Amino acid sequence: MIQETVKTQLEQVKTLRNKVEAQVKPQLDKVSAEAKKVLSQLGANLDEQKSVKEIVSAIRSHNPTFKSFWLKLDAATYDARKRFEWNATMMSAYAKFKAEVNFEKKVKPMLESYKDAAENQVKGLVAKANELKAKVRG
């Protein structure tokens, strides 16, 4: 019985892992392509250079001053930064929308039911208190 539970849990973990990989891999591919694009705009030829040392050397030779490097880096990453900003804005808007929908569908009715139950209990207690007052007075 324990072995079956462990086996089921392992299958669920594998399924979840495959699902996460399927969602993350396209994003990693995009990041890799964007990084190659930026490096090529900075002066690195990734087809010819293999090591990090060669890539850094090529970037240094194409950008003799820090200012020129910074300007080229700014220009090379502009599109990616704007795209990232846009995606972050849209993701936060989507998350807010989903939270509002979930609040309206699940949380609000639950809070209203708790409020109604509390009000009913308070009304019952007030009625009992009034009865006790009447008994004590009368």
Side-chain angles (χ1 to χ4, degrees):
M1 182 165 164
I2 294 174
Q3 290 176 342
E4 291 176 18
T5 306
V6 171
K7 192 175 186 179
T8 304
Q9 289 176 345
L10 282 174
E11 288 174 5
Q12 290 174 346
V13 168
K14 286 179 184 177
T15 304
L16 182 62
R17 180 178 153 241
N18 291 337
K19 195 176 193 181
V20 169
E21 280 181 2
Q23 291 176 348
V24 170
K25 186 169 178 4
Q27 299 302 322
L28 290 176
D29 291 342
K30 286 180 185 178
V31 168
S32 176
E34 193 66 36
K36 287 178 183 178
K37 179 181 163 187
V38 168
L39 288 173
S40 68
Q41 289 178 356
L42 291 175
N45 187 352
L46 298 177
D47 296 333
E48 296 174 9
Q49 288 120 2
K50 301 291 183 199
S51 71
V52 174
K53 186 177 180 180
E54 291 174 333
I55 293 171
V56 171
S57 170
I59 291 173
R60 282 186 178 167
S61 67
H62 281 86
N63 302 289
T65 66
F66 182 72
K67 184 177 181 179
S68 68
F69 169 75
W70 194 253
L71 290 173
K72 286 182 182 176
L73 180 65
D74 184 49
T77 59
Y78 180 80
D79 289 341
R81 286 182 284 133
K82 292 302 176 184
R83 197 174 321 114
F84 176 75
E85 184 180 321
W86 171 259
N87 288 342
T89 302
M90 291 298 107
M91 284 178 11
S92 66
Y94 182 72
K96 180 182 175 200
F97 171 74
K98 284 300 220 180
E100 289 172 350
V101 167
N102 280 334
F103 178 79
E104 289 294 324
K105 283 185 176 178
K106 296 177 183 175
V107 177
K108 190 175 179 180
M110 185 174 61
L111 290 176
E112 287 177 355
S113 70
Y114 290 152
K115 183 186 105 180
D116 292 342
E119 285 177 352
N120 290 336
Q121 286 180 349
V122 169
K123 286 178 184 177
L125 291 173
V126 167
K128 285 182 182 179
N130 288 335
E131 286 176 19
L132 288 174
K133 277 186 192 178
K135 284 182 182 179
V136 169
R137 288 185 185 171

